Amino acid sequence: MTDKERFVPTSDFVEELSKRPGGEGISKCVQCGICTASCMVANETDKYRPRKLIQKIILGKREEVLSSELPWLCMTCRMCEERCQEGVSIAEIFRAVRELAAEEGHIPDVFSDTVNLIAEDGWMLADSYTDFQEDDRLDLELDPNLGWNCEFSKKIKKRYIDGE
Amino acid sequence: MKELVIYVGCTTPVRLPSYERATKLVLEKLGVNLVDMKDANCCGTQFVESLSHKAFIAMSGRILALGEEYSRDILAICGACSGSLKMVKHELDNDAELRDELNELLAEEDLEYTGSSRVKHLLQVLNEDIGYEAIERAVVNPYSNLRLAAHYGCHVTRPFEIVQVDDPENPTIIDRIIEIIGAEQVNYTGKTRCCGGPLLAMDEGVATKIGIDKIRNIQNASADGLVTACQFCNIQLTQCQFGEGMEPEERIPVLTLPQLMGPALGIPMDDLGIWLNRIDSKPVFGTLQEAK
């Protein structure tokens, strides 16, 4: 035997994710665990282990992964990606997982609330922008009129998120 | 003269306007001409991005197209915005279908994305457009006996292949500038780690622990202050110091890079919004050679 073939474990869930933007690299994972070792979230809480979450995907535990809050805990800081020897981007894979979860109605409240807010106002902090902040801006000789466009984000939410 | 259009994002103008002001004053001082981007929308980072890839492309894509309306490169001072705009630009430039779909949407407003406007984070403008020598020449009031730690911000430096700002494993731009303005740069454990900010929405407790961990490492390196290049990092690394277990006298000032640079370049302290800093920054500004 001169040609050594590498066994690449797969599952329907892996195939499905591989076809989505961000999910392409999942088959490259060799489960070495440097992602978990690099991860500050894993460092501070036992509930989050990126390697194990990837393993669940490889094992095809689709419903468990999609209904879990865990993919939403990735900070997308890309520290693991910087160190991964196999060129896997966990931030991208979990982004693909989140999008799929969202399509099936699994969205953490804080994400749907914030997206609704952005869609309505065009940006995230319209409610927080009060006279106090305006005064601070005036004191700093900055324009108090922030001039956000709120039409485009409404249109985008309708088209891509509500699917109208 | 370098001309840029500044996209300030949502959080800086409301929660850290001193960052916006100091950026404008410092860049103006160093010969950059800035105009504000008007009629902009959220870049879509994290929240929209997680729910729909296409919606995210559209939101950041529109900002990129607005940059072209100004015929200028876009300056982003927020790590999240800079990351989003660069990632989306990369995708649009490599995917004609995606570009066509975006342009179909933008056509309703007579906007078009062609890819002609580049996206620059503040650190790139300082390093590439202005350069260390010009900054050095502009220093009129250097700091002395001051030890500062740099925090770069994840979305500012990673992934390097796309954002192209600084070495993600050993970033040096902030450190170089700290030295140029007369202070001493201090290395510390976990320098390139995240501030915890992106986790605030999902788990504030863990996010705060991540921030505090960073602060403790910086304190252990005996730094007098911390320097950031993203308002999210700045706000998070300030905020986390007000939780339990941190004595008020232990807190270290967190300054944005332009606010730190300002006085050294001769910009009046009163113009830089220093009174808005939540943690007393006298330990930093008191070391200016001509401190009042």
Side-chain angles (χ1 to χ4, degrees), chain A residues 21 40-41 43-45 47 69 72-79 81-83 92 95 98-99 102 107-108 110-112 114-115 118 122-125 128-129 133 136-137 139-143 145-149 152-153 155-156 159-161, chain B residues 7 9-11 13-15 17-18 20-21 24 38-42 46-55 58-59 62 87 101 105 108-109 154-155 158-159 168-169 192-194 196 198-199 201-203 206 209-210 213 271 273 275-276:
Chain A
M40 283 311 290
V41 180
N43 192 49
E44 299 290 357
T45 176
K47 67 182 171 186
E69 71 154 357
W72 303 82
L73 296 181
C74 168
M75 299 193 292
T76 71
C77 80
R78 298 179 190 262
M79 190 71 118
E81 179 181 326
E82 200 59 56
R83 294 179 178 172
E92 294 295 318
R95 179 168 65 87
R98 290 178 194 190
E99 190 180 39
I107 308 172
V110 68
F111 276 78
S112 42
T114 307
V115 168
I118 291 168
W123 61 304
M124 203 168 58
L125 293 179
S128 310
Y129 190 47
Q133 278 82 28
D136 285 344
R137 291 186 64 81
D139 289 344
L140 290 164
E141 294 174 38
L142 292 167
D143 188 349
N145 174 16
L146 303 178
W148 289 96
N149 173 300
F152 187 73
S153 51
K155 190 164 72 179
I156 293 307
R159 177 172 174 146
Y160 290 122
I161 295 174
Chain B
Y7 173 69
C10 60
T11 302
V14 179
R15 300 238 190 264
S18 62
E20 181 182 342
R21 179 65 170 149
K24 288 173 173 173
K38 288 295 181 193
D39 193 43
N41 50 273
C42 162
Q46 190 172 8
F47 297 98
V48 173
E49 181 184 10
S50 293
L51 267 51
S52 161
H53 180 240
K54 286 261 172 84
M59 291 186 73
R62 182 175 179 275
M87 296 290 275
E101 185 168 338
L105 275 169
E108 296 169 32
E109 301 182 71
C154 304
H155 299 96
R158 293 191 286 263
E169 289 188 301
T192 60
R193 287 179 198 157
C194 183
L199 196 63
M202 282 300 285
D203 194 328
V206 175
K209 280 185 181 170
I210 293 169
D213 187 75
D271 294 350
W275 72 89
L276 292 167

Side-chain angles (χ1 to χ4, degrees), chain B residues 14-275:
Chain B
V14 179
R15 300 238 190 264
L16 203 69
S18 62
Y19 183 30
E20 181 182 342
R21 179 65 170 149
T23 297
K24 288 173 173 173
L25 288 170
V26 164
L27 292 187
E28 195 180 315
K29 185 76 147 180
L30 296 169
V32 177
N33 175 276
L34 289 179
V35 292
D36 285 316
M37 184 182 285
K38 288 295 181 193
D39 193 43
N41 50 273
C42 162
C43 72
T45 193
Q46 190 172 8
F47 297 98
V48 173
E49 181 184 10
S50 293
L51 267 51
S52 161
H53 180 240
K54 286 261 172 84
F56 176 54
I57 296 283
M59 291 186 73
S60 271
R62 182 175 179 275
I63 296 161
L64 294 166
L66 283 174
E68 295 187 30
E69 286 289 294
Y70 288 88
S71 307
R72 292 174 175 219
D73 288 343
I74 300 166
L75 164 66
I77 59 177
C78 162
C81 298
S82 135
S84 297
L85 295 172
K86 283 166 181 272
M87 296 290 275
V88 168
K89 182 175 190 339
H90 177 81
E91 285 201 62
L92 288 168
D93 291 347
N94 289 287
D95 187 334
E97 254 175 73
L98 217 51
R99 208 163 49 234
D100 291 346
E101 185 168 338
L102 171 71
N103 280 330
E104 204 179 304
L105 275 169
L106 295 177
E108 296 169 32
E109 301 182 71
D110 285 330
L111 290 171
E112 190 191 4
Y113 175 84
T114 70
S116 62
S117 282
R118 286 174 306 168
V119 181
K120 295 208 153 189
H121 181 267
L122 173 65
L123 294 186
Q124 276 175 294
V125 174
L126 291 166
N127 176 25
E128 298 163 18
D129 297 323
I130 295 163
Y132 299 126
E133 284 171 15
I135 298 172
E136 198 155 4
R137 281 196 303 273
V139 174
V140 292
N141 185 13
Y143 292 91
S144 59
N145 300 316
L146 175 66
R147 292 167 55 81
L148 295 173
H151 169 81
Y152 284 81
C154 304
H155 299 96
V156 175
T157 56
R158 293 191 286 263
F160 177 75
E161 298 69 32
I162 293 170
V163 301
Q164 306 264 318
V165 175
D166 201 342
D167 180 342
E169 289 188 301
N170 183 28
T172 54
I173 298 173
I174 300 176
D175 293 275
R176 281 287 300 273
I177 293 171
I178 285 172
E179 298 267 327
I180 287 169
I181 58 179
E184 183 189 346
Q185 67 87 15
V186 178
N187 283 324
Y188 60 97
T189 305
K191 186 171 173 178
T192 60
R193 287 179 198 157
C194 183
C195 65
L199 196 63
L200 284 169
M202 282 300 285
D203 194 328
E204 198 179 336
V206 175
T208 301
K209 280 185 181 170
I210 293 169
I212 287 289
D213 187 75
K214 186 149 205 112
I215 295 293
R216 289 292 180 208
N217 287 330
I218 290 168
Q219 288 167 334
N220 290 339
S222 312
D224 304 310
L226 166 58
V227 188
T228 63
C230 162
Q231 82 295 338
F232 279 125
C233 301
N234 201 93
I235 293 164
Q236 160 70 357
L237 292 167
T238 301
Q239 175 67 31
C240 75
Q241 296 189 58
F242 286 81
E244 273 174 56
M246 182 77 70
E247 299 300 325
E249 63 275 9
E250 284 185 286
R251 289 177 194 144
I252 51 172
V254 187
L255 310 176
T256 61
L257 179 61
Q259 194 186 54
L260 173 77
M261 291 170 75
L265 305 182
I267 294 165
M269 298 274 279
D270 290 348
D271 294 350
L272 294 159
I274 289 157
W275 72 89

Side-chain angles (χ1 to χ4, degrees), chain A residues 46-117:
Chain A
D46 290 342
K47 67 182 171 186
Y48 183 71
R49 294 287 180 266
R51 180 194 63 81
K52 282 190 180 167
L53 195 52
I54 296 286
Q55 186 182 39
K56 281 195 167 34
I57 296 170
I58 294 170
L59 292 171
K61 297 184 185 291
R62 187 179 188 277
E63 297 318 307
E64 185 188 335
V65 170
L66 293 185
S67 59
S68 158
E69 71 154 357
L70 298 178
W72 303 82
L73 296 181
C74 168
M75 299 193 292
T76 71
C77 80
R78 298 179 190 262
M79 190 71 118
C80 55
E81 179 181 326
E82 200 59 56
R83 294 179 178 172
C84 177
Q85 296 295 297
E86 304 297 329
V88 178
S89 170
I90 287 196
E92 294 295 318
I93 292 168
F94 290 170
R95 179 168 65 87
V97 170
R98 290 178 194 190
E99 190 180 39
L100 183 58
E103 283 170 18
E104 305 198 357
H106 303 292
I107 308 172
D109 290 347
V110 68
F111 276 78
S112 42
D113 293 350
T114 307
V115 168
N116 288 338
L117 201 66

